[in-house]
Amino acid sequence: MKNIYLPGILAMATVVVASNILVQFLLGDWLTWGAFTYPIAFLITDVMNRVYGVSAARRVVFAGFVVGILCSLFGTQVMMQGDGYTFPAVTLRVAIGSGSAFLVAQLLDVQIFDRMRNGAWWRAPLASTLIGSALDTFLFFSIAFSTMFNGLEAANIPDWAQSAVPLLGSGPELPLWASLAVADWMVKLVLALIALAPFRMLVLYLVRRSAKNH
């Protein structure tokens, strides 16, 4: 594995593991802490794609996926204490949902970015992130929290996420996870716009450093 991939792989694995833990903790009524960490994965993928190409981006996605899933599966064996009961740091459902959503969405992100790379500098990262994050949000929340997948881990059914509440507090009655998913994607929309600035700066920095080394 080339040294240029290592920072991306380590960053990706860190984001996946941190997000798998933080997505289980509510921030207010409709968000989880993971909503603010996971979008960084798309920034990492897009930077690798722009600077080193589609092949490098895919390698970082696959390597980050493997490392992140291994760490998350380890997290399923780490028990935490809360309100008189124990629970795993990362539930099996969260690990499966995260891994499935991550791989599918990130590979889609890579493909869309590659097809749009010759346009204005901001179009490829913005379009690929928005589309990829929408698919990622749907896959993750449905696998991790919906009743359809309760059989994956009968001992850790997320009842709290399956209780019916008005969508975002004022819409039709839907499971809480639906509100979490919508709010999560709205945060990703905002962060996708904010990430354009660090994307541009990181790309320019890495391109200049690469030019100096050659």
Side-chain angles (χ1 to χ4, degrees), residues 95-186:
I96 293 174
S98 173
S100 302
F102 173 87
L103 190 60
V104 174
Q106 290 294 325
L107 291 178
L108 178 63
D109 178 282
V110 171
Q111 184 177 358
I112 294 173
F113 188 104
D114 189 50
R115 290 189 177 185
M116 302 183 68
R117 68 167 59 250
N118 294 325
W121 70 266
W122 54 269
R123 289 182 182 174
L126 184 59
S128 62
T129 297
L130 292 182
I131 297 172
S133 63
L135 179 60
D136 176 271
T137 299
F138 172 76
L139 289 176
F140 171 74
F141 279 93
S142 60
I143 294 173
F145 299 122
S146 75
T147 56
M148 184 183 303
F149 294 94
N150 279 350
L152 287 176
E153 195 175 15
N156 287 302
I157 293 177
D159 296 320
W160 62 272
Q162 297 174 359
S163 57
V165 298
L167 183 66
L168 296 178
S170 59
E173 291 262 329
L174 292 172
L176 173 59
W177 70 264
S179 291
L180 297 179
V182 172
D184 180 89
W185 191 63
M186 292 172 66

Side-chain angles (χ1 to χ4, degrees), residues 64-84:
F65 166 78
V66 172
V67 174
I69 288 301
L70 288 176
C71 292
S72 295
L73 290 177
F74 173 76
T76 64
Q77 305 304 309
V78 177
M79 303 305 293
M80 303 179 68
Q81 298 288 333
D83 297 329

Side-chain angles (χ1 to χ4, degrees), residues 45 48 53-63 107 110-111 114:
T45 301
M48 294 297 297
V54 64
S55 178
R58 286 188 179 129
R59 291 191 180 205
V60 167
V61 167
F62 280 120
L107 291 178
V110 171
Q111 184 177 358
D114 189 50

